[in-house]
Amino acid sequence: MTSTDSRPAGSLVLLFRNALTRPPLPLLVVFPHPSAYSHPPKSLGMANSQPLKFRPNMGRPESAIPPMDLSLLYRDSPEDKNVSLLAYIDVADPNLRRWAIIWPVGWTSSGSEVLRMLHLMQEPNHVGWTNWGPITHPLSDEDARLSRRYTVAHLSSDARQRLERIAGHARVQEPDGTYGTQHWVVDLLREAVEHGILTNSQCRAATHAAWEQ
Protein backbone atom coordinates (compact mmCIF):
# COMPACT_ATOMS: atom_id res chain seq x y z
CA MET A 1 0.00 0.00 0.00
CA THR A 2 1.28 3.43 -0.84
CA SER A 3 0.85 6.56 1.20
CA THR A 4 -2.17 8.72 0.43
CA ASP A 5 -0.72 11.74 2.22
CA SER A 6 -1.51 14.83 0.14
CA ARG A 7 -0.14 17.58 2.37
CA PRO A 8 1.68 20.39 0.55
CA ALA A 9 5.46 20.59 0.31
CA GLY A 10 6.97 22.06 3.47
CA SER A 11 4.72 20.09 5.81
CA LEU A 12 6.03 17.16 7.80
CA VAL A 13 7.30 14.43 5.51
CA LEU A 14 5.90 10.95 5.99
CA LEU A 15 8.74 8.45 6.48
CA PHE A 16 8.89 4.67 5.92
CA ARG A 17 5.16 3.79 5.72
CA ASN A 18 1.56 4.92 5.82
CA ALA A 19 0.74 5.59 9.46
CA LEU A 20 -2.72 4.10 9.06
CA THR A 21 -1.58 0.63 8.00
CA ARG A 22 -0.24 -0.55 11.37
CA PRO A 23 -1.72 1.40 14.29
CA PRO A 24 0.71 0.11 17.00
CA LEU A 25 3.64 1.88 15.34
CA PRO A 26 4.34 5.61 15.37
CA LEU A 27 3.94 8.05 12.56
CA LEU A 28 7.45 8.73 11.40
CA VAL A 29 8.65 12.05 10.11
CA VAL A 30 11.98 13.44 9.05
CA PHE A 31 11.68 16.65 11.06
CA PRO A 32 12.68 17.49 13.76
CA HIS A 33 11.84 16.08 17.19
CA PRO A 34 10.11 12.98 18.65
CA SER A 35 7.14 15.12 19.72
CA ALA A 36 6.46 15.84 16.03
CA TYR A 37 4.85 12.44 15.50
CA SER A 38 2.11 10.61 17.34
CA HIS A 39 2.59 7.41 19.29
CA PRO A 40 0.46 5.58 18.51
CA PRO A 41 -0.90 7.60 15.57
CA LYS A 42 -4.40 8.97 15.97
CA SER A 43 -4.60 10.41 12.47
CA LEU A 44 -2.21 11.03 9.62
CA GLY A 45 0.25 13.75 10.56
CA MET A 46 -1.43 14.72 13.83
CA ALA A 47 0.77 15.13 16.90
CA ASN A 48 -0.04 13.27 20.08
CA SER A 49 -1.86 15.47 22.57
CA GLN A 50 -0.13 13.65 25.41
CA PRO A 51 3.56 14.48 25.96
CA LEU A 52 5.92 11.55 25.64
CA LYS A 53 7.33 10.28 28.92
CA PHE A 54 10.88 8.94 29.04
CA ARG A 55 12.58 6.70 31.57
CA PRO A 56 15.40 8.29 33.57
CA ASN A 57 18.95 7.28 32.67
CA MET A 58 17.70 5.48 29.53
CA GLY A 59 15.86 2.96 31.70
CA ARG A 60 18.95 1.67 33.49
CA PRO A 61 17.96 0.44 36.98
CA GLU A 62 20.30 1.57 39.74
CA SER A 63 20.70 -1.98 41.01
CA ALA A 64 21.30 -3.58 37.61
CA ILE A 65 24.70 -4.79 36.42
CA PRO A 66 25.54 -3.77 32.84
CA PRO A 67 25.60 -6.66 30.37
CA MET A 68 28.90 -8.12 29.25
CA ASP A 69 30.47 -6.18 26.39
CA LEU A 70 33.20 -7.92 24.36
CA SER A 71 34.20 -4.88 22.33
CA LEU A 72 37.79 -5.01 23.63
CA LEU A 73 38.19 -8.59 22.41
CA TYR A 74 36.34 -8.14 19.13
CA ARG A 75 37.13 -4.70 17.76
CA ASP A 76 35.20 -3.24 14.89
CA SER A 77 37.55 -3.23 11.90
CA PRO A 78 37.78 -0.08 9.72
CA GLU A 79 36.40 -1.42 6.44
CA ASP A 80 32.88 -0.70 5.17
CA LYS A 81 30.28 -3.16 6.43
CA ASN A 82 26.65 -4.07 5.94
CA VAL A 83 24.51 -2.65 8.74
CA SER A 84 21.31 -4.65 9.14
CA LEU A 85 18.01 -4.68 10.95
CA LEU A 86 17.78 -7.90 12.96
CA ALA A 87 14.22 -9.10 13.60
CA TYR A 88 13.54 -11.98 15.98
CA ILE A 89 10.86 -14.23 14.50
CA ASP A 90 9.98 -16.11 17.70
CA VAL A 91 6.49 -14.60 17.48
CA ALA A 92 4.21 -14.79 14.46
CA ASP A 93 3.05 -11.15 14.35
CA PRO A 94 5.74 -8.99 12.66
CA ASN A 95 4.54 -5.98 14.69
CA LEU A 96 5.45 -7.69 17.96
CA ARG A 97 8.91 -8.93 17.03
CA ARG A 98 12.00 -7.57 18.73
CA TRP A 99 14.30 -5.48 16.56
CA ALA A 100 17.95 -4.52 16.74
CA ILE A 101 20.52 -2.83 14.50
CA ILE A 102 23.63 -4.95 13.97
CA TRP A 103 26.84 -5.46 12.02
CA PRO A 104 29.46 -8.23 12.21
CA VAL A 105 32.76 -7.86 14.05
CA GLY A 106 34.13 -11.41 14.21
CA TRP A 107 33.67 -15.06 15.14
CA THR A 108 34.19 -16.98 18.37
CA SER A 109 36.42 -20.06 18.51
CA SER A 110 33.25 -22.17 18.67
CA GLY A 111 31.93 -20.68 15.43
CA SER A 112 29.37 -18.19 16.75
CA GLU A 113 29.13 -14.87 14.96
CA VAL A 114 30.02 -11.82 17.06
CA LEU A 115 27.91 -8.72 16.42
CA ARG A 116 27.95 -5.08 17.32
CA MET A 117 24.39 -4.48 18.50
CA LEU A 118 22.28 -1.37 19.03
CA HIS A 119 19.17 -2.51 20.84
CA LEU A 120 17.04 -2.44 23.97
CA MET A 121 17.16 -5.05 26.70
CA GLN A 122 14.70 -6.02 29.40
CA GLU A 123 16.25 -6.34 32.84
CA PRO A 124 14.98 -9.13 35.13
CA ASN A 125 12.42 -7.98 37.71
CA HIS A 126 12.14 -4.54 36.12
CA VAL A 127 9.27 -3.15 34.05
CA GLY A 128 10.10 -1.50 30.75
CA TRP A 129 13.09 -1.45 28.42
CA THR A 130 16.71 -0.45 28.98
CA ASN A 131 19.28 1.08 26.65
CA TRP A 132 22.79 0.04 27.71
CA GLY A 133 24.33 1.58 24.64
CA PRO A 134 26.21 -0.28 21.88
CA ILE A 135 27.22 -3.78 22.96
CA THR A 136 29.38 -6.46 21.32
CA HIS A 137 28.52 -10.09 21.97
CA PRO A 138 28.04 -13.41 20.14
CA LEU A 139 24.74 -14.35 18.58
CA SER A 140 23.66 -17.66 20.07
CA ASP A 141 22.75 -20.56 17.80
CA GLU A 142 19.12 -20.26 18.91
CA ASP A 143 18.98 -16.51 18.22
CA ALA A 144 20.60 -17.08 14.84
CA ARG A 145 17.91 -19.64 14.02
CA LEU A 146 15.07 -17.45 15.27
CA SER A 147 16.03 -14.22 13.51
CA ARG A 148 16.13 -12.62 10.09
CA ARG A 149 18.31 -9.84 8.74
CA TYR A 150 17.36 -6.96 6.49
CA THR A 151 20.18 -4.85 5.09
CA VAL A 152 19.84 -1.16 5.85
CA ALA A 153 23.04 0.20 4.29
CA HIS A 154 26.72 -0.43 3.60
CA LEU A 155 28.40 2.02 5.99
CA SER A 156 31.93 3.21 6.61
CA SER A 157 33.59 2.91 10.00
CA ASP A 158 33.03 6.62 10.59
CA ALA A 159 29.32 6.34 9.79
CA ARG A 160 28.95 3.35 12.12
CA GLN A 161 30.62 5.26 14.94
CA ARG A 162 28.25 8.17 14.39
CA LEU A 163 25.34 5.75 14.52
CA GLU A 164 26.71 4.32 17.76
CA ARG A 165 26.88 7.76 19.32
CA ILE A 166 23.23 8.36 18.50
CA ALA A 167 22.24 4.98 19.94
CA GLY A 168 24.32 5.54 23.06
CA HIS A 169 22.15 8.52 24.03
CA ALA A 170 18.80 7.37 22.61
CA ARG A 171 16.08 7.81 25.18
CA VAL A 172 13.65 5.07 26.18
CA GLN A 173 9.98 5.75 26.67
CA GLU A 174 8.06 4.70 29.75
CA PRO A 175 6.06 1.49 29.26
CA ASP A 176 2.55 2.22 28.01
CA GLY A 177 1.38 -1.14 26.73
CA THR A 178 2.46 -0.30 23.18
CA TYR A 179 6.04 0.95 23.18
CA GLY A 180 8.66 -1.63 22.25
CA THR A 181 11.96 -2.27 20.54
CA GLN A 182 10.57 -1.48 17.09
CA HIS A 183 9.67 2.05 18.17
CA TRP A 184 13.16 2.59 19.55
CA VAL A 185 14.87 1.26 16.42
CA VAL A 186 12.63 3.37 14.19
CA ASP A 187 13.47 6.46 16.27
CA LEU A 188 17.16 5.59 15.92
CA LEU A 189 16.86 5.26 12.14
CA ARG A 190 14.88 8.49 11.91
CA GLU A 191 17.62 10.35 13.76
CA ALA A 192 20.26 8.73 11.56
CA VAL A 193 18.38 10.11 8.54
CA GLU A 194 18.31 13.57 10.10
CA HIS A 195 22.10 13.41 10.61
CA GLY A 196 22.75 12.28 7.04
CA ILE A 197 24.02 8.82 8.00
CA LEU A 198 21.18 6.97 6.28
CA THR A 199 18.56 7.84 3.68
CA ASN A 200 14.79 7.61 3.86
CA SER A 201 14.72 4.99 1.12
CA GLN A 202 17.27 2.77 2.86
CA CYS A 203 15.36 2.80 6.13
CA ARG A 204 12.00 2.40 4.45
CA ALA A 205 13.16 -0.65 2.49
CA ALA A 206 14.53 -2.43 5.57
CA THR A 207 11.60 -1.69 7.88
CA HIS A 208 9.02 -2.47 5.20
CA ALA A 209 10.65 -5.85 4.57
CA ALA A 210 10.73 -6.65 8.30
CA TRP A 211 7.08 -5.69 8.71
CA GLU A 212 5.90 -7.68 5.71
CA GLN A 213 7.77 -10.95 6.25
Side-chain angles (χ1 to χ4, degrees), residues 27-43:
L27 174 65
L28 303 174
V29 297
V30 175
F31 309 101
H33 186 273
S35 63
Y37 61 80
S38 59
H39 170 68
K42 296 180 179 179
S43 62

Side-chain angles (χ1 to χ4, degrees), residues 13-144:
V13 180
L14 183 65
L15 179 64
F16 300 162
R17 65 187 304 133
N18 189 322
L20 302 181
T21 59
R22 296 189 185 276
L25 291 164
L27 174 65
L28 303 174
V29 297
V30 175
F31 309 101
H33 186 273
S35 63
Y37 61 80
S38 59
H39 170 68
K42 296 180 179 179
S43 62
L44 192 64
M46 297 301 294
N48 194 343
S49 60
Q50 299 296 322
L52 300 179
K53 297 181 179 179
F54 295 93
R55 305 192 71 192
N57 196 29
M58 292 182 290
R60 300 173 185 177
E62 293 183 1
S63 59
I65 300 174
M68 182 178 297
D69 178 20
L70 302 180
S71 57
L72 294 179
L73 292 177
Y74 299 92
R75 296 184 179 275
D76 191 9
S77 53
E79 69 266 15
D80 295 358
K81 293 182 179 180
N82 278 339
V83 173
S84 302
L85 188 161
L86 182 75
Y88 293 91
I89 57 173
D90 50 346
V91 295
D93 187 348
N95 290 289
L96 301 179
R97 293 171 178 170
R98 292 175 293 140
W99 282 8
I101 298 297
I102 63 165
W103 58 88
V105 293
W107 297 84
T108 67
S109 58
S110 60
S112 296
E113 187 177 20
V114 182
L115 301 174
R116 191 65 167 161
M117 302 191 73
L118 315 178
H119 66 154
L120 295 184
M121 302 179 70
Q122 199 155 31
E123 294 299 317
N125 304 317
H126 290 278
V127 178
W129 296 97
T130 300
N131 176 16
W132 287 107
I135 294 175
T136 297
H137 61 81
L139 188 69
S140 69
D141 291 342
E142 182 179 9
D143 283 347

